[in-house]
Amino acid sequence: MRKRVVITGIGTINPLGENAGDFFHNLDLGVSGASIIERFDTSRFRTKFACQIPNYDPARFPDIIGRKDASRTDPFTQYALIAADEAVRDSGLDLESEDLRRIGVVVGSGVGGIITYTDEIREFYADDNQQFSPFLVPKFITNIASGHIAIRFGFRGPNFGVSSACATSAHAILTAASQIQLGRADVMISGGTEAPISIPGIGGFNSARALSTNNEEYMTASRPFDATRDGFVMGEGAAVLVVEDYEHAVRRGAQIYAEIAGIGMTCDAWHITAPREDGESAADAMSLALREAGLSPAEVDYINAHGTSTQLGDTAELKAIRSVFGDDVYRVSISSTKSMTGHMMGAAGAVEALACLHAIRDGIIPPTINFRNEDPNIDYRMKLTLAGAEKRTVRVAMSNNFGFGGQNASLVFRAI
């Protein structure tokens, strides 16, 4: 019998809130996190907007990020520390009584400290006497967020980073669960963090023609499942979950949000950026997650879709869902919270896992906002939750995340 793994704490900072409570509140209201980019000159780019954390300043978190820490860490690490602090507090873990060798960290990032890297390279070539900072490497490497979290709390168990583009934090969560099932830890701090809104971030994705360029309607530009969708809107932030052995959680009387019941991982083996148009490998990931959970498609109440607001990606995912769920696709609620948060890339899977936990705990399906026009390639008899949040009892929720390189991950969460 494999060990049961549950979630006992959550934390986040993202375009909709600086904590889980604010995030859920704005999620239910259908708030758009999009805003005009002012932190750097966008005149050379076709995209001028993103989903940004409003008025972010590490000085507002002095108990988590001291003045020295702020200068020695990239924003992606700062976001992870803020989210982890909330998650650990929320879990009620008594760190003085826990064996810290049995608590590990696996927090992922897609692009790591791209802001730090960009600034250092620019300054180096702008000044012939400029030397690289000794903190350059430990500021931009993608695993460093996990290291900082461990140092802050003294966690001495398994510790590493995960990087698989937009599937990163889904892979981090399932990897954390696997560490517990293998008996290597009792508790894992897991999730994803990303600070990609930068000159190469916007410029690179513009050149790849992946971003929306709808600057005139930027607040509604992230519009999954809409016929006029023209690319994803970049987002930033972090989400962290406390993943725990079920028996360990019960012994200490912990609150339990849900069980991680099933995990599915596949690869398209198809194209470096485009998904398979038939969605076959994405469907395989969902089927594997359901099989591991011992559940039928009829038992799933909600799917948090990857739903990036790209023409090919949205239709391919809905084809995959249709192939797995058959006629049950007309009763399972489906939504894309990226319509509000934007695409948080390496943090997307974790923040969307939080949306699933919210649906299970509070019985609210978050909406897909900004929908206006039907796409002839989409079957709108599906319950796409386009008109606002939906009240519904949710016992089982699925979260899908698919990354560049064809990497697919599906997680199934079940109420306890």
Side-chain angles (χ1 to χ4, degrees):
M1 294 291 292
R2 68 182 181 90
K3 291 186 175 185
R4 297 175 71 185
V5 179
V6 296
I7 296 163
T8 58
I10 58 175
T12 189
I13 177 169
N14 66 62
L16 299 190
E18 293 182 352
N19 55 69
D22 288 348
F23 169 53
F24 294 152
H25 176 74
N26 287 320
L27 205 63
D28 296 344
L29 292 177
V31 173
S32 170
S35 58
I36 294 295
I37 297 170
E38 296 180 346
R39 62 184 71 168
F40 55 85
D41 180 10
T42 61
S43 61
R44 295 175 64 183
F45 305 136
R46 290 177 296 123
T47 297
K48 316 291 185 183
F49 62 96
C51 286
Q52 303 168 93
I53 297 170
N55 306 311
Y56 175 72
D57 183 349
R60 291 194 290 107
F61 303 90
D63 295 337
I64 303 171
I65 306 165
R67 188 176 301 174
K68 281 188 177 180
D69 293 329
S71 65
R72 296 176 179 181
T73 55
D74 187 88
F76 94 101
T77 295
Q78 297 169 16
Y79 298 161
L81 284 166
I82 292 164
D85 186 80
E86 181 187 6
V88 172
R89 284 188 285 106
D90 184 51
S91 73
L93 280 166
D94 180 359
L95 300 185
E96 292 187 1
S97 65
E98 293 288 341
D99 182 351
L100 300 186
R101 296 170 298 180
R102 300 285 299 170
I103 303 179
V105 185
V106 52
V107 170
S109 180
V111 297
I114 192 169
I115 293 174
T116 291
Y117 189 81
T118 303
D119 290 346
E120 285 276 339
I121 292 292
R122 183 170 51 191
E123 290 169 11
F124 180 80
Y125 284 105
D127 183 351
D128 290 341
N129 296 316
Q130 177 71 30
Q131 298 295 311
F132 285 119
S133 165
F135 295 102
L136 169 60
V137 173
K139 282 178 72 173
F140 81 75
I141 53 178
T142 55
N143 68 301
I144 203 67
S146 292
H148 273 284
I149 292 168
I151 291 167
R152 174 168 173 76
F153 294 101
F155 298 145
R156 296 165 57 196
N159 189 290
F160 51 98
V162 171
S163 187
S164 51
C166 308
T168 290
S169 51
H171 280 140
I173 293 166
L174 63 85
T175 301
S178 298
Q179 294 299 306
I180 293 169
Q181 290 169 340
L182 290 168
R184 294 172 177 158
D186 298 321
V187 180
M188 293 291 293
I189 312 304
S190 184
T193 183
E194 206 78 278
I197 302 171
S198 60
I199 291 171
I202 296 296
F205 279 106
N206 261 170
S207 294
R209 298 188 180 278
L211 290 181
S212 171
T213 58
N214 193 350
N215 299 298
E216 293 74 23
E217 298 180 296
Y218 67 89
M219 290 288 289
T220 62
S222 184
R223 48 184 72 166
F225 318 130
D226 186 281
T228 63
R229 63 193 185 276
D230 71 328
F232 74 81
V233 177
M234 189 175 286
E236 65 179 351
V240 170
L241 296 77
V242 175
V243 181
E244 188 167 352
D245 173 78
Y246 171 71
E247 293 182 358
H248 183 273
V250 169
R251 281 197 301 272
R252 69 180 187 85
Q255 66 171 342
I256 294 176
Y257 285 93
E259 178 179 6
I260 302 175
I263 294 165
M265 292 183 286
T266 63
C267 181
D268 286 349
W270 178 259
H271 190 273
I272 56 171
T273 56
R276 291 180 63 103
E277 292 186 27
D278 60 8
E280 181 180 354
S281 296
D284 288 343
M286 288 181 260
S287 295
L288 288 169
L290 289 171
R291 185 184 309 166
E292 183 169 289
L295 296 167
S296 70
E299 294 174 278
V300 178
D301 302 299
Y302 171 52
I303 301 171
N304 187 292
H306 187 57
T308 57
S309 189
T310 62
Q311 284 288 334
L312 185 57
D314 288 5
T315 52
E317 182 177 11
L318 292 179
K319 284 179 184 177
I321 292 171
R322 179 71 173 85
S323 71
V324 173
F325 284 80
D327 288 341
D328 286 311
V329 79
Y330 301 122
R331 49 151 298 279
V332 60
S333 296
I334 303 168
S335 73
S336 171
T337 47
K338 288 185 178 73
S339 60
M340 294 173 274
T341 65
H343 192 349
M344 292 171 61
M345 302 175 69
V351 79
E352 289 158 20
L354 264 59
C356 288
L357 300 180
H358 175 49
I360 290 171
R361 185 188 67 177
D362 300 316
I364 301 176
I365 306 296
T368 304
I369 67 170
N370 304 328
F371 179 79
R372 299 174 182 174
N373 305 285
E374 291 194 0
D375 181 340
N377 298 307
I378 291 176
D379 180 358
Y380 290 99
R381 292 176 297 167
M382 294 182 178
K383 289 178 64 64
L384 292 174
T385 320
L386 301 173
E390 173 192 348
K391 290 287 291 183
R392 176 174 181 170
T393 298
V394 178
R395 296 284 303 170
V396 177
M398 172 182 282
S399 179
N400 290 334
N401 288 103
F402 313 130
F404 279 7
Q407 296 158 346
N408 308 309
S410 289
L411 295 169
V412 172
F413 303 98
R414 176 169 52 201
I416 294 269

